[in-house]
Amino acid sequence: MGLIPKSIALKYSGQVIRVRKGDSVFREGEPALFFYQVEEGSVKMVTSSEDGREFIQGVFHAGESFGEPPLFCHIDYPATAIAITDSHVLKIPKDRFFQLLQENFAIHLRFDEGLCQSLRYKNMILSEVSFHTPEHRLQTLFRHLRETLPKKQGHIEVPFTRQVIADMIGLRVETVIRSIKKMESEGKLTLKGGKIRL
Amino acid sequence: MGLIPKSIALKYSGQVIRVRKGDSVFREGEPALFFYQVEEGSVKMVTSSEDGREFIQGVFHAGESFGEPPLFCHIDYPATAIAITDSHVLKIPKDRFFQLLQENFAIHLRFDEGLCQSLRYKNMILSEVSFHTPEHRLQTLFRHLRETLPKKQGHIEVPFTRQVIADMIGLRVETVIRSIKKMESEGKLTLKGGKIRL
DNA sequence: GGTTTCGTATGATTCGAATCATAAAGGGCG
DNA sequence: CGCCCTTTATGATTCGAATCATACGAAACC
């Protein structure tokens, strides 16, 4: 699985780099020179406001690509990509990547599918953030995670802290904590030592 | 201009349909069977909440395509497309459209660019809606419009009502009206008979 | 031309999430 | 183990946008 098989990536000057937890793959304002895909671990994409708050545009896991828009729009990165665990990231130079797409229509199609998935996610979060209550936002995010994350023995353990969740749906930690507690008391989810189970 | 020239569209079973102001091109829940592109007029994409409020995911003008994600993700439409003026819309059957992309790499690339532009817009609005004040949201939206819309003799006249603006950035009409009045008094924009000039 | 409808405008009030403050429970590590 | 730092937890207070109410100008309609 993964958008681009390593065997093919190698033919197009692809190389895998290691990124430590907390380090950035690229930062806001830098020119977009490479295509990136997570091989191992996970990477978050964040934009931060003047006063230090950050909004998490997305979290990417093994097999998912990220940071494509600037490649196609020929602009500098409008956001920063940071590893949230030690990770391996595949990078392919921009022009070689376009060549790869041209010569592999099937991959190109799957690439588009990835973009579209991303758009769907954003549309979803957007309408949530713009007119739904904290609880509703959480439920929608959790539903999405349920559909996306691999489930082990019937349930899913949310792999994010409450702060990260807050930054994903535009809320404050305290609000997320309170809402989750409320949802637990209503039986909408269970808490197992702080971890959220769906 | 426009993503797909009419001459090429015709080779792939493309046809132009007329849509009256207020009528829908497709509705939430319907299967995605066609690729769509605005030829004339403009189309809005909306999701509505249970209680009737609507959020405008985007407004598309001549030359822009819309409703692509469901085509690639093989899902039903999660939103409804409505003409906001009498419009002409080009439609190409799904399978023919994929064929078109496969046989026209340059168009495929520009198509991706469109998707990426859309993603950029959403990322922008998303961080605005999730942690900025009404005034900041308006300024960012207006900056975007300044970069996007064609300007006539040095200024731009915003082609949206305050209600539409509110639905684009997750605010209420009254809040938009108040903020705009304030911005006018601070010289950040001018009002000419109700119309907003940038 | 007069009436209806839509868009803009403004004031008063409510309400809920942000903010501020503080504490307790985990988790990693020397 | 005991210490430190992160994360979770909870209460009190503030504050600003939503809500409610109402009016008025302008465009659309018969």
Side-chain angles (χ1 to χ4, degrees):
Chain A
M1 57 146 288
L3 177 62
I4 300 185
K6 211 175 282 185
S7 58
I8 292 192
L10 293 177
K11 289 192 204 145
Y12 293 89
S13 315
Q15 52 177 313
V16 175
I17 58 173
R18 302 163 143 279
V19 190
R20 298 210 152 279
K21 173 179 177 176
D23 286 353
S24 62
V25 179
F26 54 74
R27 307 197 74 86
E28 192 173 334
E30 291 177 6
L33 306 173
F34 295 90
F35 161 85
Y36 292 101
Q37 176 177 306
V38 180
E39 289 298 313
E40 214 182 295
S42 32
V43 172
K44 69 177 174 182
M45 190 89 177
V46 307
T47 50
S48 23
S49 65
E50 306 72 47
D51 59 326
R53 283 195 65 185
E54 74 175 31
F55 179 77
I56 298 180
Q57 296 285 1
V59 177
F60 307 94
H61 306 279
E64 297 178 316
S65 62
F66 60 93
E68 310 91 343
L71 272 191
F72 286 86
C73 297
H74 313 292
I75 53 166
D76 292 341
Y77 283 113
T80 298
I82 297 175
I84 55 183
T85 63
D86 288 355
S87 304
H88 294 181
V89 175
L90 168 68
K91 59 191 281 189
I92 301 178
K94 180 171 171 171
D95 52 339
R96 297 284 284 153
F97 175 64
F98 284 139
Q99 193 190 346
L100 185 160
L101 290 184
Q102 182 155 23
E103 293 167 359
N104 298 272
F105 182 68
I107 289 181
H108 198 168
L109 263 196
R110 287 209 294 142
F111 172 75
D112 287 337
E113 189 182 328
L115 287 184
C116 289
Q117 290 285 9
S118 185
L119 267 170
R120 283 181 61 205
Y121 173 77
K122 274 155 207 314
N123 286 339
M124 178 188 82
I125 298 291
L126 211 32
S127 55
E128 284 300 320
V129 171
S130 50
F131 53 54
H132 285 299
T133 63
E135 229 181 293
H136 195 286
R137 297 191 210 181
L138 283 167
Q139 275 177 343
T140 302
L141 177 65
F142 289 159
R143 184 178 341 111
H144 175 258
L145 293 179
R146 243 184 258 116
E147 290 165 5
T148 308
L149 297 174
K151 72 174 60 175
K152 26 191 160 190
Q153 60 255 19
H155 63 76
I156 284 180
E157 225 173 70
V158 179
F160 305 127
T161 65
R162 288 155 182 63
Q163 179 64 62
V164 170
I165 294 173
D167 291 341
M168 291 174 81
I169 55 181
L171 293 173
R172 313 254 67 174
V173 216
E174 298 95 320
T175 307
V176 169
I177 288 172
R178 282 187 248 263
S179 301
I180 286 179
K181 283 256 116 182
K182 180 154 171 286
M183 288 166 80
E184 186 207 12
S185 76
E186 289 167 350
K188 291 177 182 164
L189 51 79
T190 52
L191 295 180
K192 191 81 182 181
K195 291 286 171 207
I196 302 158
R197 280 197 183 167
L198 304 178
Chain B
M1 58 145 291
L3 178 62
I4 299 185
K6 211 174 279 184
S7 58
I8 292 193
L10 293 177
K11 289 192 204 145
Y12 293 88
S13 315
Q15 53 177 311
V16 174
I17 58 172
R18 302 164 142 279
V19 190
R20 297 211 153 279
K21 173 178 177 176
D23 285 354
S24 62
V25 179
F26 55 75
R27 306 197 75 86
E28 192 172 335
E30 291 178 7
L33 305 173
F34 295 90
F35 161 84
Y36 292 101
Q37 175 178 305
V38 180
E39 289 298 313
E40 213 183 296
S42 33
V43 173
K44 68 177 175 181
M45 191 87 176
V46 305
T47 50
S48 22
S49 65
E50 306 73 46
D51 58 327
R53 284 195 63 186
E54 72 175 33
F55 180 77
I56 298 180
Q57 295 285 0
V59 177
F60 307 95
H61 307 279
E64 297 178 317
S65 63
F66 60 94
E68 308 92 342
L71 273 190
F72 286 86
C73 296
H74 313 293
I75 53 165
D76 292 341
Y77 284 113
T80 298
I82 298 176
I84 54 183
T85 63
D86 287 357
S87 304
H88 294 181
V89 175
L90 167 69
K91 60 191 281 190
I92 302 178
K94 180 172 171 171
D95 53 338
R96 297 285 285 153
F97 175 65
F98 284 139
Q99 192 191 346
L100 186 160
L101 289 184
Q102 181 155 23
E103 294 166 359
N104 298 272
F105 182 68
I107 288 181
H108 198 167
L109 262 196
R110 287 209 293 142
F111 172 75
D112 287 337
E113 189 181 328
L115 288 184
C116 288
Q117 290 286 9
S118 185
L119 268 170
R120 282 182 60 204
Y121 174 77
K122 275 155 206 314
N123 286 337
M124 178 189 81
I125 298 291
L126 211 31
S127 55
E128 284 300 320
V129 171
S130 51
F131 52 53
H132 285 298
T133 62
E135 229 181 292
H136 195 286
R137 296 191 211 181
L138 283 167
Q139 276 176 343
T140 302
L141 177 65
F142 288 159
R143 186 180 337 113
H144 175 259
L145 293 180
R146 244 183 258 117
E147 291 164 5
T148 307
L149 297 175
K151 72 173 62 175
K152 26 192 160 188
Q153 61 258 18
H155 64 77
I156 284 179
E157 225 173 70
V158 179
F160 304 127
T161 65
R162 289 157 182 60
Q163 180 64 63
V164 169
I165 293 173
D167 291 342
M168 290 174 81
I169 55 180
L171 293 173
R172 314 254 67 175
V173 218
E174 298 95 320
T175 306
V176 169
I177 289 172
R178 281 187 249 263
S179 302
I180 285 179
K181 283 257 117 181
K182 179 153 171 286
M183 289 166 79
E184 187 208 12
S185 76
E186 290 167 349
K188 291 177 183 164
L189 52 79
T190 52
L191 294 180
K192 191 81 183 181
K195 290 285 172 208
I196 302 159
R197 280 196 182 168
L198 304 178

